[in-house]
Amino acid sequence: MTNRSSVRLVFVLLVFISTFAFAQDSQKPLQKDPYFTPTAVPKKNAPPAEKVKHIHSDELRKDEKYDGNNYFSGNVQFEHQGSLLNADLVIVYEGQNFVKAVGNVKLQNSDGSVITAQEMEYDGNTQRGIARKNVVLTDPKGTVIKTETMYYDRVSNQAYYNTGGTINDGKSTTYAKSATYFLTTRTVDLTGNVKIEDKDYTLEGRNVIQNQNTNIVDINGPTTITNRKNPKNYIFTEKGNYNMNSKEAFLYKNSKVHYNDKILTGDEMYYNQLSGFGKATGNVTLDDPKENRWMKGGYGEIFEKKDSAMMTKNPYAVKALEKDSMYFAADRIISFQKTDPADITVKKSFLRAFRKGRFYKSNAQGRADSIAFNETDGVLHMYTDPILWSNGKQVTGDKVEAYFNTRTESIDSLKVIGNAFAISKVDSLDMKDEFNQIKGKLMTVYYGEDNNIKEAKVIGNAQSITYSDDVNTQTKKKERIGISLTSCGIIDALFEEKALYIVACNIGATSDTYPMSKIEPERRKFPDFNWNTKDRILKWQDILVDTPNYPEIQYESDNTLYDKAKEIVEKEKAKEEAKKPKRVRR
């Protein structure tokens, strides 16, 4: 080598060394995101962290461009503990075991998950990374997460974003402001406002956890699950679980199920959106605004597709009317709707009360083993030992039907089928044991404009016991004439405030009026007379128990005239006996 060549080589080396020294001197301190700060204190005598290794690149440079740090460009690939990092450009911070990748960044982890982005920072000491710009994470089973900034921890195997993003598993898409994805368990902790959509339903709420394996969502805040085809059908809850595969919801706090314009609530609930079956326990309410009716109880079931519901455990129902509501109770109450055979576009609503049925309305109250109410047509049926009270009058029979005027919300008439029996107190203001009675095989009772029983027509073996009064012309007061016993095929009777008048008695009529002194007490009532005050419903709250068990009213029997007449007759008989000659034995 010539001297000139030697001098030139030394000059080049000096320039290179001085440039390298300048670059080293001009390095700026590395400003890391706080996310890279270790959360735990390093263990004593712990082995140093494995270095991020350079595998391939087209070019290596080191100058002022990146604060004097080495940077690799062109098909760059680095490796760290089984994960491969690819990018257009990678800057290496040697003393920090830290790299920054730029352009077409791809991190392929050993568990099969892949993160792509436009930029990424990775710390080999903490094994944490931050990906930015068009970030996409794909897990081995195909779940895809998209966001603008993602924080990734390889040790805990979780990813986090708070810049808003989407999560798609092929069946549903999740939108959330922030989320933490645990790749090992494939669960996503979603905070803030969350929206999960599939082809049939939309879940919107706050603070939910979604399991990508089971597709079950744990709900921990106010959440709504809506039927996309019928948005009026939806679920609301503040705590529960929702299976997005089977569409089953388990609800535990402040929950409501809206279906067919009805609302089911309860302390704990279950609802299957596919089958339409739901159940609720504890403080259950089924509200039907269209029917102005709600049901309450301790346990309830709904059948959306049959448009029916059932309530048990001390259930009761309220039919809210504008002027006068109706109340129902029983061991079990069922409500349902059926298509009108005469018009398939019209649905009729029905209510059934089974076992120990009771109902209350201001001008009519009743009990029966079962009660059926056609809410649309206003027809109420009472089966098995029915008893109906109406403004001081009592009606019983084998079956009682009540017909309501749906426009005026009042009772128009009653039909009593089999062993019909109507009783009214002669004077409701006194305690006398005096009752007007009418009975037969079939009875129709008509109400007047004042919503009181006004008229009755009895057909078949019709009989009546009525108290008759007349006005004294001198004192202008009513005086008791006696009691009339009437029997015929058909009786037309008219109810007044304190009287029952037989208007007509047809077919084999017999009628006799006895003065009070001539009629025995036992003939003043029919053998099957039963004036029930113990079970009578006086207020709507009485329907909430099997019977209010009121004390039986003790009425005073007034047999004074009959007893005096009988005494006179006995005395006369005694006198006649005394006049007869005595037979003397010899």
Side-chain angles (χ1 to χ4, degrees):
M1 181 181 296
T2 64
N3 291 334
R4 182 177 295 180
S5 298
S6 299
V7 170
R8 186 178 296 172
L9 177 60
V10 170
F11 176 77
V12 171
L13 289 173
L14 289 172
V15 170
F16 178 81
I17 293 170
S18 62
T19 303
F20 178 78
F22 176 82
Q24 291 288 339
D25 294 339
S26 64
Q27 287 186 17
K28 295 181 181 179
L30 177 61
Q31 299 295 322
K32 291 185 180 180
D33 189 285
Y35 177 69
F36 294 112
T37 302
T39 56
V41 177
K43 296 180 180 179
K44 290 183 179 181
N45 302 320
E50 185 177 328
K51 295 293 183 179
V52 179
K53 299 176 183 177
H54 171 249
I55 303 298
H56 177 272
S57 63
D58 293 342
E59 187 176 3
L60 164 64
R61 289 188 179 184
K62 187 173 187 179
D63 53 33
E64 299 179 19
K65 189 173 184 180
Y66 295 106
D67 300 330
N69 292 292
N70 290 332
Y71 62 94
F72 301 81
S73 60
N75 300 310
V76 183
Q77 186 176 72
F78 276 76
E79 185 272 338
H80 188 249
Q81 294 188 351
S83 293
L84 295 176
L85 176 66
N86 294 272
D88 293 339
L89 174 72
V90 175
I91 306 157
V92 179
Y93 299 86
E94 290 287 351
Q96 302 290 330
N97 197 19
F98 188 89
V99 299
K100 181 177 181 179
V102 180
N104 297 310
V105 181
K106 180 179 179 182
L107 175 65
Q108 188 166 351
N109 294 298
S110 56
D111 64 356
S113 62
V114 177
I115 300 175
T116 61
Q118 285 303 306
E119 295 181 4
M120 183 181 294
E121 296 174 345
Y122 181 76
D123 189 330
N125 295 327
T126 60
Q127 297 187 55
R128 291 183 176 184
I130 301 177
R132 295 185 175 90
K133 299 180 183 179
N134 299 323
V135 182
V136 178
L137 183 153
T138 305
D139 79 0
K141 293 188 177 180
T143 293
V144 178
I145 302 177
K146 295 181 179 181
T147 186
E148 282 303 298
T149 301
M150 178 179 289
Y151 300 84
Y152 178 65
D153 189 331
R154 291 187 61 222
V155 175
S156 60
N157 205 20
Q158 66 185 49
Y160 166 77
Y161 69 80
N162 60 7
T163 52
T166 63
I167 303 171
N168 189 293
D169 64 356
K171 295 180 180 179
S172 64
T173 302
T174 300
Y175 307 86
K177 176 67 176 177
S178 61
T180 302
Y181 185 38
F182 300 89
L183 280 82
T184 304
T185 59
R186 300 190 73 228
T187 58
V188 191
D189 191 343
L190 305 155
T191 57
N193 294 326
V194 180
K195 184 177 183 180
I196 305 175
E197 287 185 332
D198 65 14
K199 63 184 182 67
D200 298 315
Y201 294 90
T202 299
L203 182 151
E204 293 181 273
R206 296 182 60 83
N207 304 332
V208 304
I209 297 175
Q210 183 181 16
N211 189 310
Q212 297 291 307
N213 287 322
T214 62
N215 226 2
I216 292 176
V217 178
D218 295 331
I219 299 168
N220 300 295
T223 301
T224 302
I225 306 166
T226 306
N227 186 321
R228 299 181 70 177
K229 295 179 180 178
N230 186 1
K232 292 194 299 182
N233 286 8
Y234 64 93
I235 298 168
F236 174 83
T237 189
E238 292 184 8
K239 188 171 182 59
N241 309 105
Y242 180 64
N243 189 320
M244 298 193 67
N245 293 332
S246 63
K247 309 305 180 188
E248 293 177 286
F250 300 84
L251 315 171
Y252 306 115
K253 182 181 179 183
N254 297 333
S255 308
K256 294 183 179 181
V257 174
H258 294 250
Y259 75 102
N260 297 348
D261 297 311
K262 302 171 181 64
I263 307 167
L264 178 70
T265 61
D267 292 344
E268 292 190 6
M269 302 170 63
Y270 164 84
Y271 184 62
N272 187 315
Q273 289 176 313
L274 297 181
S275 67
F277 171 75
K279 61 182 179 179
T281 57
N283 297 307
V284 182
T285 299
L286 178 60
D287 191 5
D288 189 343
K290 277 194 171 181
E291 285 298 326
N292 293 321
R293 186 239 303 133
W294 63 88
M295 297 163 54
K296 289 181 176 290
Y299 175 80
E301 294 180 354
I302 59 173
F303 306 87
E304 178 186 336
K305 295 182 178 179
K306 294 182 178 179
D307 213 348
S308 65
M310 182 272 294
M311 197 79 69
T312 60
K313 294 186 178 180
N314 302 315
Y316 70 93
V318 182
K319 177 77 172 179
L321 304 176
E322 185 176 347
K323 299 176 183 178
D324 183 19
S325 297
M326 292 185 68
Y327 302 81
F328 297 87
D331 285 351
R332 181 170 55 137
I333 296 178
I334 293 175
S335 67
F336 61 94
Q337 289 186 316
K338 289 198 306 185
T339 302
D340 187 351
D343 186 353
I344 60 173
T345 64
V346 176
K347 277 192 172 184
K348 293 188 174 183
S349 296
F350 300 85
L351 190 75
R352 299 282 190 268
F354 293 99
R355 288 191 54 79
K356 301 176 182 178
R358 291 93 68 186
F359 84 90
Y360 173 89
K361 197 173 185 294
S362 65
N363 65 331
Q365 308 84 39
R367 291 180 175 275
D369 184 69
S370 60
I371 297 173
F373 184 39
N374 181 331
E375 298 175 81
T376 305
D377 296 337
V379 181
L380 185 144
H381 303 265
M382 303 174 67
Y383 302 95
T384 310
D385 301 324
I387 180 168
L388 184 143
W389 298 275
S390 182
N391 295 320
K393 302 172 181 65
Q394 177 182 293
V395 177
T396 58
D398 293 340
K399 178 184 176 184
V400 175
E401 295 177 354
Y403 298 86
F404 292 83
N405 186 317
T406 56
R407 181 180 59 82
T408 62
E409 303 177 356
S410 59
I411 299 179
D412 283 342
S413 61
L414 303 174
K415 184 181 288 185
V416 189
I417 303 169
N419 295 307
F421 196 167
I423 306 171
S424 67
K425 187 79 169 58
V426 173
D427 189 344
S428 60
L429 300 179
D430 64 32
M431 298 300 295
K432 292 183 180 180
D433 192 15
E434 296 177 340
F435 295 89
N436 292 312
Q437 303 150 64
I438 185 170
K439 62 182 297 189
K441 291 184 178 179
L442 175 66
M443 181 187 300
T444 304
V445 177
Y446 301 95
Y447 279 72
E449 294 182 358
D450 59 354
N451 287 327
N452 288 323
I453 292 177
K454 194 70 177 177
E455 185 181 349
K457 183 173 185 178
V458 184
I459 301 175
N461 194 26
Q463 303 172 68
S464 69
I465 297 175
T466 58
Y467 284 72
S468 301
D469 295 328
D470 199 3
V471 178
N472 188 307
T473 56
Q474 295 180 352
T475 63
K476 305 300 181 181
K477 294 182 179 181
K478 283 187 177 182
E479 292 182 352
R480 180 61 43 80
I481 297 173
I483 297 177
S484 297
L485 305 183
T486 304
S487 177
C488 50
I490 301 175
I491 287 180
D492 284 324
L494 191 66
F495 286 89
E496 295 292 348
E497 184 179 355
K498 298 181 181 180
L500 175 64
Y501 298 105
I502 304 301
V503 178
C505 185
N506 304 310
I507 307 175
T510 61
S511 182
D512 296 297
T513 301
Y514 299 89
M516 301 304 292
S517 61
K518 296 294 185 181
I519 183 169
E520 299 91 333
E522 56 270 19
R523 295 184 65 193
R524 300 176 188 180
K525 294 178 183 177
F526 289 118
D528 52 349
F529 177 92
N530 178 23
W531 180 254
N532 190 331
T533 58
K534 179 175 70 73
D535 299 321
R536 182 170 179 176
I537 299 168
L538 298 179
K539 56 185 184 296
W540 83 264
Q541 290 86 350
D542 289 343
I543 69 169
L544 301 179
V545 294
D546 291 347
T547 172
N549 201 26
Y550 289 118
E552 286 282 6
I553 298 176
Q554 301 298 317
Y555 294 100
E556 301 170 357
S557 299
D558 187 1
N559 301 324
T560 305
L561 295 177
Y562 177 78
D563 291 340
K564 285 183 178 180
K566 184 177 180 181
E567 184 179 348
I568 292 172
V569 171
E570 293 295 332
K571 286 181 179 180
E572 290 299 322
K573 284 184 179 180
K575 288 180 182 179
E576 291 298 322
E577 288 293 328
K579 290 179 181 180
K580 291 180 181 181
K582 305 294 184 182
R583 180 177 295 179
V584 180
R585 290 184 179 181
R586 296 192 179 194

